[in-house]
Amino acid sequence: MFPTVWDTKTQQFHAGQDWKHLANFKEDFSVTTNALGTPKGALAAAHEALNHCHHYPPADQEPARTSLARFLWPATPSSSVPEGHARLLIGNGASELIDLITRTAPPGCRWRSGPWDAQYKEYERAAVNIGCELLPPDSTTPADLLCLVNPCNPTGDYMSLDRVQAWISAHAADNATVMVDESMQPWLGRDFRADSLTSAAAFAADLYARRGIRLYVIHSWTKLWSCTGLRLGSVVCPTAEACQQLKRYQVPWSVNGMALAFLDHVARDTAYLEETWRVTAEWRASLVDRLEQLNQRMGGAEWQVWGRAFLSWVWLDVGSEALADAMVDAARAAGTPIRSGRPGYERPTFIRVAVRAPDQVDVLIQAWSGLSAHAQLSS
């Protein structure tokens, strides 16, 4: 059913691999990237940077690092060093940073995810690699390594800033390392920063001063700016010293020149963000309507749609393993692959469908138009 590009003994399954193996590929619904596609100006900047590939990229990650800091903390006067700049580090995707931070935790530490039913698996993979004890999501035991994805991919659950702060305070052990992944949080809208932990420097400082808890706020920028092949992530560290420690462990020049040029440009592209906030909720609502209409035509059990209205995907429980598998297969056959909930997440009745333009959704829905027999069998 799935491509064999993953070494399942050593690697964690992710979506986004099917497209290259499909002769009739039309659109990738398996990844939660921005439906608008890659910003053209930033892509042009990356192309231009390719002309300088015979030079090393800047070891200080500038000017991209400063541009990203001003994106995260725009209230800071442009003439001064942006707030948080000394605590900000760019990585080769969020995955590199997740791995770096996890390696600072002691072997045998107690790890747990957020309270969600399923969560992005890279945090668990990194914890297993250093020998952590894995606590269940509903554990009441304080964790030494606490990892919350908010909004949660794939479930679409979301905690407001005050709830996140209360949850961290209640579930982190003293001297714990806490990672909060806010990769999908900027989709919240124009005021996303006010509900982000990046705006809670005083909270992070207090956690560290009173309880020795180190709070890291992680972003993967490859979804918002649709550049998964470039690998761009960042982390806001609890202190400048903690950022220096990660930099010591980070492989030199891990972020290439094309990615840094892309980031420097896109962090200033406000028009792209405005359009993202305008169309994503509209297209997601349309996608949900189309799925509900399809479910009614199939005549099976009512499907359960998960996720907040502002997000770039739908997490869908179709109530049947056979139907979910059939939908995955039919989508791939039509050149519109989706994400199965079976590998990695171990939710075999679920599928994840990315938000895309309505005309692209037409192709996917058409691929599923003949699956009513599967729904009847599953009822």
Side-chain angles (χ1 to χ4, degrees):
M1 181 185 299
F2 305 108
T4 56
V5 297
W6 296 105
D7 179 351
T8 57
K9 294 180 180 178
T10 61
Q11 293 178 309
Q12 175 61 51
F13 179 88
H14 291 267
Q17 297 291 302
D18 288 3
W19 69 274
K20 195 171 184 179
H21 304 274
L22 302 177
N24 63 337
F25 174 72
K26 297 178 178 66
E27 180 58 47
D28 194 352
F29 286 82
S30 75
V31 291
T32 57
T33 49
N34 197 318
L36 294 177
T38 310
K40 291 182 173 57
L43 186 60
H47 276 290
E48 172 61 25
L50 187 60
N51 292 323
H52 305 288
C53 69
H54 57 296
H55 295 296
Y56 282 106
D60 61 0
Q61 304 178 333
E62 295 293 359
R65 186 161 154 246
T66 293
S67 295
L68 180 59
R70 288 187 175 134
F71 171 82
L72 292 171
W73 300 283
T76 304
S78 59
S79 59
S80 63
V81 176
E83 178 185 341
H85 184 272
R87 296 183 290 117
L88 181 65
L89 185 66
I90 302 171
N92 191 316
S95 296
E96 180 197 17
L97 300 168
I98 293 166
D99 189 72
L100 280 176
I101 298 165
T102 301
R103 289 176 188 274
T104 67
C109 68
R110 295 164 300 184
W111 174 92
R112 67 160 286 184
S113 67
W116 322 122
D117 176 65
Q119 181 177 283
Y120 180 60
K121 300 290 284 186
E122 275 300 306
Y123 292 90
E124 181 177 330
R125 180 199 65 79
V128 168
N129 281 349
I130 68 163
C132 288
E133 174 191 353
L134 303 186
L135 302 176
D138 59 353
S139 173
T140 58
T141 302
D144 308 304
L145 183 57
L146 193 60
C147 303
L148 172 69
V149 179
N150 187 51
C152 181
N153 194 348
T155 69
D157 290 291
Y158 180 66
M159 286 188 196
S160 60
L161 178 58
D162 58 340
R163 288 185 59 208
V164 170
Q165 291 172 326
W167 188 84
I168 292 171
S169 298
H171 293 93
D174 289 348
N175 302 309
T177 297
V178 178
M179 289 186 275
V180 178
D181 188 324
E182 291 190 345
S183 296
M184 315 308 291
Q185 200 270 345
W187 258 282
L188 183 64
R190 192 173 292 106
D191 298 325
F192 76 91
R193 296 173 184 88
D195 207 40
S196 165
L197 276 170
T198 59
S199 70
F203 171 74
D206 182 67
L207 276 181
Y208 185 70
R210 288 192 304 107
R211 300 178 56 190
I213 295 173
R214 297 169 300 282
L215 173 59
Y216 297 87
V217 185
I218 292 176
H219 290 88
S220 168
W221 298 113
T222 61
K223 307 302 190 302
L224 180 65
W225 289 318
S226 193
C227 60
T228 50
L230 277 180
R231 314 306 307 133
L232 272 172
S234 67
V235 59
V236 179
C237 300
T239 64
E241 291 74 23
C243 192
Q244 289 287 328
Q245 181 186 22
L246 289 187
K247 200 179 295 185
R248 290 189 189 97
Y249 295 148
Q250 188 178 39
V251 175
W253 308 293
S254 69
V255 186
N256 66 62
M258 284 68 73
L260 289 172
F262 181 98
L263 179 57
D264 179 46
H265 188 286
V266 81
R268 293 175 274 116
D269 190 346
T270 56
Y272 180 85
L273 275 183
E274 291 290 341
E275 185 69 0
T276 295
W277 295 324
R278 187 184 72 81
V279 305
T280 303
E282 176 186 331
W283 287 355
R284 188 182 189 280
S286 174
L287 172 60
V288 170
D289 286 343
R290 299 292 300 278
L291 291 170
E292 290 175 345
Q293 293 168 17
L294 178 66
N295 180 222
Q296 291 174 5
R297 290 198 300 271
M298 285 185 174
E302 183 177 353
W303 297 347
Q304 298 296 313
V305 176
W306 295 78
R308 293 294 189 94
F310 65 84
L311 292 172
S312 64
W313 76 92
V314 170
W315 182 235
L316 182 67
D317 185 0
V318 300
S320 160
E321 294 186 30
L323 178 57
D325 289 344
M327 294 176 79
V328 170
D329 290 343
R332 290 187 69 218
T336 53
I338 62 171
R339 171 65 154 100
S340 168
R342 183 184 294 278
Y345 295 129
E346 299 177 358
R347 299 294 182 269
T349 67
F350 281 81
I351 58 173
R352 191 186 68 194
V353 185
V355 170
R356 293 292 182 259
D359 61 323
Q360 296 168 329
V361 174
D362 288 343
V363 182
L364 179 63
I365 296 296
Q366 180 60 36
W368 290 334
S369 61
L371 295 180
S372 58
H374 293 282
Q376 296 298 329
L377 287 172
S378 66
S379 60

